[in-house]
Amino acid sequence: MKGKFKIDLASPKIIEYIRTVLVALLVVIAIVICAQAYANGLREFAFYMTIACCVVLSVLEFVNTFVIKKFVPKMIFYGLDSALILTICVLTGNSFMSTIYCIVLTQCYMFVEKFKDRTILFGVSCLIFSASFTCGYIISTPNPTAFDGVTGVLFGLLALGIDYIVAMFLLKFYNTNIELSSALKEADDSRSRLEEAYDELTKTKVYEERNRIAKDIHDTVGHSMTTVIMQTEAAKLLIDSNPTEAKQRIVSANIQARNALEQIRESVHLLAGRGQSKTLSEDIKEILAQTMDGTDVKARFSLDEAHPSEETHRFIVNSLKELLSNGIRHGAATAFYVELKNDGGDLKLLVSDNGCGVNGEIGEGFGLRGLREKAEALGGSLSVTSEENEGFEACIILPIIKEQT
């Protein structure tokens, strides 16, 4: 199916089309003037002069429209056009004089950008037209009268005035369309840039969420599986010498595995936007109880009541699991002290153990590095201290940004 013809009023080609039409119209009027001169039996010299003036006028207008681009040369060509129009009027009378002037002036209006300059051009053209019409009327009319001369001038000026008003309106309409099209294009470009930025932000959020999910799973499963491994390893050692104790260890490992599954489900619920069902101190007590259940690990604690945001709550819980798991796996710790302090503005979690400690610089693995980065992202800090055979201590300080009642 053929597409419908559509004119873009904001396209620069519209001006070119109008200029082409005006030049063609001028040529048509020149041909009509020559035909009229032939029909009226104009003298041979006057007839050929009329043809020559019409041809030169058409050529000058074509060159002035499509070739000349600078202001001064255009005004010079406009002066030549006015002289040729005066000559044609003297030779043939004032027929089509105002029409030719309107065509030439409209071409000039489209080139001049400022409204003030167009108005000055219109005023000067009115004076030139009045003088040309008067000269042509006096020379070409056998018995000229003042009334007919003044009437002819007024009608011509009226035509020039109407042409000026219409041309100004159309040029204003065209320029407004250009400005609106430019503004719409800028708006489209801005929207495209915003969409690209939003897409990039969405991707960043997705990556951050993936990292957070990985951290939650690492902390939850890592802590629980550490306890399960310890219990099953102890059961292996006791299965021959103390079957009853070994069975108890296996039962405890089973309970820990079930707790791990429940914790994973709770993490999924949190990721889905569900709120916390327990207070922070209750969660800490439960984690410590699960760690001590069926193992030789002991724990003491001092916990203040605190109601931070869900994100801070979840981070404290995951941090405790990570620190307990690290102390048991890497430090062979058998005792922990956990302290939660709430001074109303900052929340402090202190976890220390009796493990083997670290000789020299403390290296940060995936777990500790993740804790530090998350603490700093929440506006807090993580500090760790350790000495060989003196255990390991970690302190997390976080601002309580959002209190929950």
Side-chain angles (χ1 to χ4, degrees), residues 22-42:
L22 290 175
V23 172
L25 183 60
L26 180 65
V27 172
V28 170
I29 293 175
I31 294 173
V32 171
I33 291 174
C34 292
Q36 188 182 60
Y38 177 78
N40 292 337
L42 201 64

Side-chain angles (χ1 to χ4, degrees), residues 252-268:
S252 297
N254 181 268
I255 293 173
Q256 286 293 333
R258 291 178 181 272
N259 287 335
L261 178 61
E262 184 63 29
Q263 290 165 2
I264 292 174
R265 287 174 176 169
E266 186 175 351
S267 295
V268 173

Side-chain angles (χ1 to χ4, degrees), residues 138-355:
I138 293 173
I139 295 173
S140 62
T141 303
N143 298 308
T145 62
F147 177 79
D148 291 339
V150 172
T151 302
V153 170
L154 292 178
F155 274 112
L157 293 177
L158 178 63
L160 294 181
I162 294 174
D163 174 71
Y164 171 77
I165 293 172
V166 172
M168 293 304 101
F169 174 79
L170 293 178
L171 287 171
K172 180 66 176 178
F173 179 77
Y174 171 77
N175 291 331
T176 302
N177 270 279
I178 290 289
E179 293 174 359
L180 287 175
S181 297
S182 178
L184 287 174
K185 185 178 182 303
E186 290 180 3
D188 289 339
D189 293 341
S190 298
R191 184 181 65 181
S192 298
R193 289 194 295 270
L194 285 175
E195 289 176 352
E196 291 175 0
Y198 177 77
D199 291 340
E200 290 297 324
L201 180 61
T202 302
K203 291 178 182 178
T204 302
K205 289 295 183 182
V206 170
Y207 294 146
E208 290 178 353
E209 190 68 8
R210 286 177 180 175
N211 290 335
R212 190 167 73 86
I213 292 172
K215 184 68 172 56
D216 283 346
I217 293 174
H218 174 271
D219 294 340
T220 299
V221 178
H223 172 262
S224 298
M225 289 302 102
T226 297
T227 306
V228 170
I229 290 170
M230 287 182 60
Q231 291 169 340
T232 54
E233 288 292 335
K236 284 167 58 179
L237 297 175
L238 295 171
I239 196 168
D240 293 327
S241 60
N242 192 346
T244 302
E245 179 67 18
K247 181 179 179 180
Q248 183 180 352
R249 300 281 181 147
I250 292 173
V251 171
S252 297
N254 181 268
I255 293 173
Q256 286 293 333
R258 291 178 181 272
N259 287 335
L261 178 61
E262 184 63 29
Q263 290 165 2
I264 292 174
R265 287 174 176 169
E266 186 175 351
S267 295
V268 173
H269 291 165
L270 291 174
L271 292 174
R274 301 183 187 180
Q276 297 284 351
S277 59
K278 300 177 183 178
T279 65
L280 181 57
S281 60
E282 289 173 343
D283 273 340
I284 291 176
K285 290 176 183 178
E286 182 176 326
I287 292 168
L288 294 175
Q290 291 172 359
T291 302
M292 293 185 291
D293 185 26
T295 69
D296 294 329
V297 174
K298 304 299 179 182
R300 295 185 302 110
F301 53 84
S302 174
L303 306 176
D304 290 346
E305 285 297 329
H307 304 278
S309 65
E310 289 187 5
E311 187 175 14
T312 301
H313 181 127
R314 185 166 59 249
F315 174 62
I316 292 292
V317 169
N318 291 338
S319 298
L320 177 60
K321 293 175 184 178
E322 173 70 17
L323 293 171
L324 292 174
S325 296
N326 284 347
I328 295 171
R329 284 186 298 172
H330 304 304
T334 59
F336 290 88
Y337 175 71
V338 178
E339 183 179 76
L340 182 69
K341 288 292 185 181
N342 178 15
D343 64 4
D346 289 330
L347 194 61
K348 177 182 177 182
L349 175 69
L350 178 69
V351 180
S352 60
D353 63 49
N354 67 343

Side-chain angles (χ1 to χ4, degrees), residues 17-59:
Y17 295 152
I18 295 175
R19 287 173 175 171
T20 302
V21 170
L22 290 175
V23 172
L25 183 60
L26 180 65
V27 172
V28 170
I29 293 175
I31 294 173
V32 171
I33 291 174
C34 292
Q36 188 182 60
Y38 177 78
N40 292 337
L42 201 64
R43 296 189 308 273
E44 184 175 353
F45 174 78
F47 175 69
Y48 286 119
M49 280 293 297
T50 301
I51 293 176
C53 288
C54 287
V55 171
V56 174
L57 177 63
S58 300
V59 172

